[in-house]
Amino acid sequence: MDTAVAKQKHKQYKSLLSETEEVLREGELVMQQKRRLKNRLSVVRLVLTCAIGTIALLALFSAHAFPSSSVSSGHGVVESYLLNKLDGARGLLEYEKLWKPPSNKDYAQCMEPNVSYSSHLESRGYLLVHTNGGLNQMRAGICDMVAVARIINATLVIPELDKQSFWQDSSNFSDVFDEEHFITSLANDIKVVKKLPKELATATKAVKHFRSWSGVEYYQDEISHLWDDYQVIRAAKSDSRLANNNLPPDIQKLRCRAFYEALRFAPRIEALGKLLVQRMRSYGPFVALHLRYEKDMLAFSGCTYGLSPDEIEELTMIRENTAHWKVKEIDAMEQRAKGYCPLTPREVGIFLSSLGFPSSTPIYIAAGEIYGGDAHMADLQTRFPLLMSKETLASADELEPFTHYASQMAALDYIVSLESEVFVPSYSGNMARAVAGHRRFLGHRKTITPDRKSLIHLFDKLDRGKLKEGRKLSSLIVDIHQRRQGSPRKRKGPISGTKGMDRFRSEEAFYENPLPDCLCRTELHDRNQ
């Protein structure tokens, strides 16, 4: 009986063991399936994450950079960006090199006056100034008149801005500049007042067109003598009234203090300008492109390459009907061949691509309305979809207070251009020179100045089919511009062989390059303190 029971129990245990092993085997199979499923889920999750990230990136580019364009146009941006980033160590080094500023060679700001420099003496009279030109022409003129007021010992009345130029801007000084800051910043140099005293409002004034590019002797010998008969001198124009070179060091330093410190933009302009910079920086390092392809510039210069017959006729009429533009007949092809024309948007696109900037590069267009609009911008937009401007970065409400004032709109462009990682001007006008000089003053930030004459020669070869875009063109353009990126150098004097007024006209503008007057090597600066 006991043996039979034992056998029965053994049989039961064996059966239970067999069932347990089967359960374990099934459990192991389930675990293996779960592991396989988990691995598959991980892969799916990774794929979904990448897809969602790509879609989000495309949406960001589409919504902020070009809200009116389709998302598909952003695909090339992302693809190009990834290709550039994954192009190996050499590609990454080349990419970083694009953004690296030139060495400042230990140059630093040195605007402090000499120990013998005294605060302003008792004023002999009042200097009224009527500025002329666009924003940056007026800025340079105002700062020159600060220096003139010091030379002739005058009280400077807040200058009157040009309201009659091409832009018909009705802005007053305080609309564009921080008036109180201007007055207080110059307190140790000259006296500045907001208005002429009432008792002199009807006084007879000496109205003078100060001689262009004049030195200290002219103002001391000819202009100062006017105080013998007048209490008020009115400068009918402000542009280019002071020489670029060969002025006393303290006068040159005063010009820099006026331009880089005293003449600050109005607070509301500064605020929106800084906001535009922040929004541009959200896309990463960016290029500010001063695209001087605007109606007034093309009409003035007679540069009509690539334009339609109707556009050429319109620009010719503007030039003929603008009285103070003296030259009416201009050979457009000769102008272009000599490098006197602003680069077209298409040419700028070829230039930037050849330098190595990828299509993902954020580009801020610092300009007014581009002549011909989308028709002339299409090629550049295709190459660099991330084109932005104050109109696309700011809302209509944010921009509305400035929209009808050309000088205030130009001031916003100036601020963004100054703060960009790279600045590229398509033409060497007043804005380009002022920004380039200011960037030098702030530590030689990278500024790539196109050699337009050399570029036109290459672009013409492209158009004739004798050269193709690619490595050869890129190498040629990079080599030409190795030394045109804003590194320290002394201001250029007159072009050899020029005489008379042309000699002064050919000099590099003072505010384009404040070295050596307002930039010194660090050790020399320390030694003089």
Side-chain angles (χ1 to χ4, degrees):
M1 182 68 182
D2 293 338
T3 301
V5 171
K7 286 182 178 180
Q8 182 66 29
K9 286 184 177 181
H10 179 70
K11 188 176 180 180
Q12 290 174 347
Y13 290 151
K14 192 173 181 181
S15 175
L16 181 60
L17 180 61
S18 178
E19 290 175 5
T20 302
E21 288 175 347
E22 182 66 26
V23 170
L24 289 173
R25 280 196 296 272
E26 290 178 359
E28 180 64 19
L29 287 173
V30 170
M31 292 299 293
Q32 289 176 2
Q33 290 174 348
K34 284 185 176 181
R35 282 196 292 270
R36 284 196 292 270
L37 180 60
K38 184 177 181 181
N39 289 336
R40 289 174 183 171
L41 286 172
S42 296
V43 173
V44 171
R45 188 180 294 113
L46 179 61
V47 172
L48 286 173
T49 300
C50 292
I52 292 169
T54 301
I55 292 169
L57 185 58
L58 288 172
L60 176 64
F61 284 152
S62 177
H64 292 284
F66 32 90
S68 61
S69 62
S70 64
V71 172
S72 62
S73 65
H75 178 73
V77 177
V78 177
E79 184 181 48
S80 176
Y81 177 79
L82 293 175
L83 284 174
N84 276 281
K85 286 306 226 182
L86 298 174
D87 197 28
R90 182 179 176 185
L92 288 172
L93 286 173
E94 288 300 314
Y95 185 81
E96 290 175 3
K97 188 178 177 181
L98 283 171
W99 302 101
K100 185 178 180 181
S103 168
N104 63 20
K105 297 181 181 178
D106 294 324
Y107 277 99
Q109 300 170 11
C110 55
M111 297 185 298
E112 302 86 355
N114 292 320
V115 291
S116 59
Y117 185 84
S118 60
S119 59
H120 64 84
L121 303 175
E122 185 177 350
S123 173
R124 296 187 64 189
Y126 292 86
L127 176 62
L128 296 177
V129 175
H130 185 286
T131 61
N132 59 293
L135 173 69
N136 291 288
Q137 189 172 336
M138 290 192 291
R139 291 175 70 233
I142 290 168
C143 295
D144 280 359
M145 289 299 107
V146 168
V148 168
R150 171 79 190 190
I151 295 169
I152 65 174
N153 198 27
T155 293
L156 178 66
V157 179
I158 286 291
E160 179 183 348
L161 301 190
D162 189 345
K163 297 178 174 62
Q164 304 300 320
S165 63
F166 177 89
W167 301 274
Q168 298 291 299
D169 189 332
S170 61
S171 298
N172 293 315
F173 187 95
S174 59
D175 296 321
V176 182
F177 305 109
D178 188 333
E179 190 172 73
E180 296 299 333
H181 178 76
F182 182 73
I183 294 171
T184 56
S185 292
L186 296 171
N188 290 327
D189 301 294
I190 61 170
K191 184 178 180 181
V192 183
V193 296
K194 295 182 181 181
K195 294 181 179 180
L196 197 64
K198 290 181 179 180
E199 61 271 20
L200 293 177
T202 58
T204 303
K205 303 172 181 63
V207 180
K208 291 285 293 183
H209 283 76
F210 295 160
R211 193 175 68 198
S212 298
W213 295 293
S214 296
V216 169
E217 296 79 10
Y218 166 77
Y219 288 103
Q220 289 177 336
D221 296 342
E222 293 190 35
I223 303 303
S224 288
H225 286 308
L226 294 173
W227 295 133
D228 296 338
D229 300 307
Y230 302 94
Q231 291 179 278
V232 182
I233 299 173
R234 182 179 182 87
K237 286 190 173 183
S238 65
D239 65 320
S240 306
R241 305 297 128 177
L242 199 57
N244 291 301
N245 302 307
N246 303 316
L247 295 179
D250 278 332
I251 293 299
Q252 297 288 61
K253 291 178 187 297
L254 173 56
R255 293 169 88 178
C256 286
R257 291 198 298 277
F259 197 86
Y260 300 122
E261 291 186 348
L263 198 61
R264 194 165 66 187
F265 292 121
R268 63 195 188 95
I269 295 176
E270 288 278 350
L272 183 56
K274 290 176 181 177
L275 187 60
L276 296 179
V277 172
Q278 290 175 9
R279 290 175 181 173
M280 279 302 303
R281 288 238 170 93
S282 69
Y283 298 95
F286 69 95
V287 172
L289 171 61
H290 181 47
L291 191 59
R292 196 68 169 94
Y293 203 73
E294 299 152 312
K295 184 182 290 187
D296 67 298
M297 172 49 64
L298 297 177
F300 172 76
S301 63
C303 294
T304 56
Y305 173 78
L307 299 180
S308 70
D310 288 343
E311 289 173 328
I312 293 172
E313 183 179 356
E314 179 187 21
L315 296 177
T316 302
M317 290 295 293
I318 292 173
R319 185 169 66 254
E320 290 178 351
N321 293 330
T322 305
H324 63 277
W325 290 354
K326 304 300 182 185
V327 181
K328 303 301 182 183
E329 297 294 328
I330 298 176
D331 185 327
M333 296 308 292
E334 183 180 340
Q335 283 283 95
R336 182 170 180 272
K338 290 181 177 180
Y340 295 163
C341 291
L343 297 178
T344 68
R346 170 181 172 269
E347 291 167 346
V348 169
I350 298 172
F351 175 63
L352 292 176
S353 295
S354 298
L355 287 175
F357 287 99
S359 61
S360 59
T361 303
I363 297 179
Y364 179 86
I365 303 296
E369 183 178 354
I370 301 301
Y371 190 60
D374 293 341
H376 292 306
M377 288 293 289
D379 189 88
L380 180 60
Q381 180 79 60
T382 299
R383 289 174 181 272
F384 295 96
L386 242 59
L387 292 184
M388 285 165 272
S389 65
K390 50 190 174 294
E391 288 83 3
T392 57
L393 288 171
S395 69
D397 288 342
E398 289 173 323
L399 208 56
E400 195 278 330
F402 311 95
T403 303
H404 302 293
Y405 305 97
S407 293
Q408 297 180 46
M409 293 286 273
L412 294 172
D413 284 339
Y414 188 97
I415 293 169
V416 181
S417 297
L418 192 62
E419 296 299 328
S420 64
E421 277 69 31
V422 178
F423 175 62
V424 178
S426 69
Y427 183 75
S428 57
N430 292 309
M431 165 85 164
R433 290 195 290 267
V435 172
H438 205 154
R439 290 172 68 88
R440 288 180 180 278
F441 181 76
L442 293 174
H444 292 89
R445 297 173 177 177
K446 191 165 191 173
T447 299
I448 306 176
T449 306
D451 183 338
R452 295 191 303 280
K453 187 175 180 179
S454 297
L455 287 173
I456 293 306
H457 177 69
L458 296 175
F459 294 154
D460 284 346
K461 281 189 173 183
L462 277 178
D463 293 340
R464 294 195 302 267
K466 293 185 176 181
L467 187 63
K468 293 183 178 180
E469 285 194 61
R471 186 170 297 176
K472 182 178 180 180
L473 177 63
S474 179
S475 178
L476 289 170
I477 289 178
V478 167
D479 287 346
I480 291 169
H481 294 86
Q482 289 283 5
R483 301 191 176 206
R484 300 177 67 91
Q485 303 196 16
S487 58
R489 61 167 176 77
K490 289 186 177 180
R491 188 168 56 256
K492 295 176 183 177
I495 295 175
S496 178
T498 54
K499 297 179 180 179
M501 296 304 289
D502 286 339
R503 178 175 175 81
F504 297 109
R505 190 179 286 109
S506 70
E507 292 179 333
E508 185 175 20
F510 177 82
Y511 299 109
E512 185 176 2
N513 184 4
L515 194 158
D517 307 281
C518 306
L519 292 169
C520 315
R521 287 196 182 276
T522 307
E523 64 273 14
L524 181 63
H525 183 235
D526 293 341
R527 197 181 306 142
N528 291 334
Q529 295 302 301

